Amino acid sequence: MIIKVLGSAAGGGFPQWNCNCRNCVSVRAGTPGFKARTQSSLAVSRDGENWALFNASPDLRQQLNLTPELWADPKRDHRHSPIKAVVLTNGDVDHIAGLINLREAQAFSVYGTERVLTTIADNSLFHILAEPLVPRITLALNKPTPLSGAGVDLGLTVEAFAVPGKVALYLEDASAGDDFGTQEGDTIGLKVTDTASQHSFFYIPGCSTIDDPLGTRLKGASIVFFDGTLFTDDEMLQQGLMPKTGTRMGHINMSGPEGSIAAFSKLGVGRLIYVHINNSNPALDENSSARKSIESAGWEVGYDGLEVRL
Ligand code: MLT
Ligand code: MN
Ligand code: ZN
């Protein structure tokens, strides 16, 4: 199985268009140790020929242009794409807006929970991806779903499971109390398995806390791509960027006793890779103490183009 990180940044990307935080200024200036990143997405394939996207980011067109494996094959028909399926982990703008880049009457399948597929069905812009050419397939929770699309079996299964999190920002219901109307299926993690080899990895780009059921599920996993939005819960407030904590946004932070580094330290995971990294995160600076502390805890900081084979 081949896993390619198409985009390793959180919503807004790195740099974010309207941001003058230290990181965004530094990456625009070309300062050594700062790498630009596009928004959150993976591409996965068993055979290197047929691919599934995990989330479709607003930067998808740029990501495709930088990834030859995902180009139309000139030996095929006038119209062709290696992308046979798109699997969505929530309804965030950074995870669904890129579907619009996949218009032009090409067949592929879209997988998501009922909650996320309803969001797409309710937004008429996405009707440009018309069924039956682009079927929507509901992911049931806690059972494996085989991936296929355009008549091709991808040789991969995904098991979707609910993770603690929050409904997408634009769907928040302020009258619904502390959880903003969040329901099960608004944010999922995925266990992705190569059906032939039975090798698997986890993909969890959004998660607010690692509770006991999630910890149990991830124990001993070979690879986990995990929510690396923030280093500290209040870093956006501290930097004067936005009056929101990670807790309020539905994202766990990396550091501290409640952070993901501490939670994973007991889980015996083979390889830990942060993705969905916000531009405010000090660990984006390769020379920072935040980056050193992550790496000495055994984590990798995902970057666009990172390829993993298993
Ligand atoms: C998030 O991950 O919290 C969202 O992508 C935020 C956003 O939509 O800007
Ligand atoms: Mn996001
Ligand atoms: Zn910034």
Side-chain angles (χ1 to χ4, degrees):
M1 180 159 48
I2 311 164
I3 307 158
K4 288 194 79 116
V5 176
L6 297 183
S8 53
F14 180 48
Q16 177 174 308
W17 73 284
N18 64 343
C19 190
N20 269 325
C21 75
R22 176 180 175 270
N23 283 343
C24 287
V25 169
S26 300
V27 74
R28 279 190 205 105
T31 309
F34 293 85
K35 221 185 239 120
R37 286 169 162 81
T38 62
Q39 291 166 85
S40 180
S41 172
L42 302 183
V44 181
S45 175
R46 192 177 64 84
D47 59 11
E49 233 177 84
N50 298 296
W51 291 77
L53 300 183
F54 287 77
N55 291 319
S57 102
D59 301 321
L60 183 57
R61 185 172 181 282
Q62 176 185 350
Q63 294 165 343
L64 297 187
N65 286 340
L66 291 170
T67 312
E69 296 92 323
L70 300 177
W71 295 353
D73 180 348
K75 296 189 291 299
R76 305 288 186 107
D77 296 341
H78 285 88
R79 292 289 170 92
H80 168 261
S81 171
I83 299 167
K84 306 301 179 194
V86 180
V87 187
L88 304 170
T89 62
N90 63 20
D92 279 4
V93 173
D94 48 331
H95 286 162
I96 68 170
L99 285 171
I100 300 303
N101 289 297
L102 301 177
R103 65 195 187 280
E104 323 293 4
Q106 189 67 33
F108 66 97
S109 304
V110 178
Y111 292 82
T113 61
E114 200 176 332
R115 288 275 289 172
V116 173
L117 292 183
T118 299
T119 299
I120 288 168
D122 287 349
N123 185 327
S124 54
L125 191 62
F126 292 106
H127 299 176
I128 191 75
L129 304 169
E131 297 194 75
L133 196 63
V134 184
R136 276 58 159 175
I137 301 166
T138 304
L139 287 174
L141 297 181
N142 305 311
K143 63 179 252 227
T145 302
L147 296 184
S148 65
V152 174
D153 174 1
L154 284 165
L156 303 168
T157 61
V158 294
E159 181 176 348
F161 49 90
V163 297
K166 183 185 69 61
V167 70
L169 180 59
Y170 61 93
L171 296 174
E172 285 184 2
D173 177 358
S175 67
D178 280 355
D179 68 0
F180 304 98
T182 300
Q183 291 180 25
E184 186 174 77
D186 280 329
T187 307
I188 58 168
L190 295 167
K191 180 181 185 183
V192 184
T193 304
D194 177 329
T195 318
S197 70
Q198 287 295 304
H199 291 153
S200 65
F201 72 95
F202 285 88
Y203 176 50
I204 309 172
C207 181
S208 61
T209 182
I210 298 161
D211 58 11
D212 287 342
L214 181 57
T216 304
R217 194 186 283 274
L218 299 178
K219 211 168 190 145
S222 58
I223 303 183
V224 179
F225 292 86
F226 193 76
D227 183 342
T229 309
L230 303 175
F231 188 72
T232 46
D233 193 48
D234 65 350
E235 74 192 33
M236 296 209 290
L237 281 92
Q238 292 297 335
Q239 296 178 48
L241 300 175
M242 202 172 62
K244 272 190 191 174
T245 59
T247 307
R248 167 65 184 81
M249 294 191 303
H251 293 291
I252 191 173
N253 59 272
M254 297 172 170
S255 64
E258 309 296 324
S260 52
I261 294 173
F264 273 93
S265 67
K266 299 174 232 96
L267 299 180
V269 172
R271 197 167 167 190
L272 289 162
I273 303 172
Y274 280 124
V275 290
H276 193 279
I277 304 159
N278 197 54
N279 57 80
S280 59
N281 191 321
L284 286 172
D285 176 355
E286 291 163 20
N287 300 310
S288 64
S289 58
R291 171 66 76 99
K292 289 191 182 78
S293 71
I294 288 172
E295 290 176 345
S296 61
W299 283 80
E300 296 169 57
V301 177
Y303 56 89
D304 296 13
L306 171 64
E307 185 177 308
V308 174
R309 286 174 185 253
L310 83 166

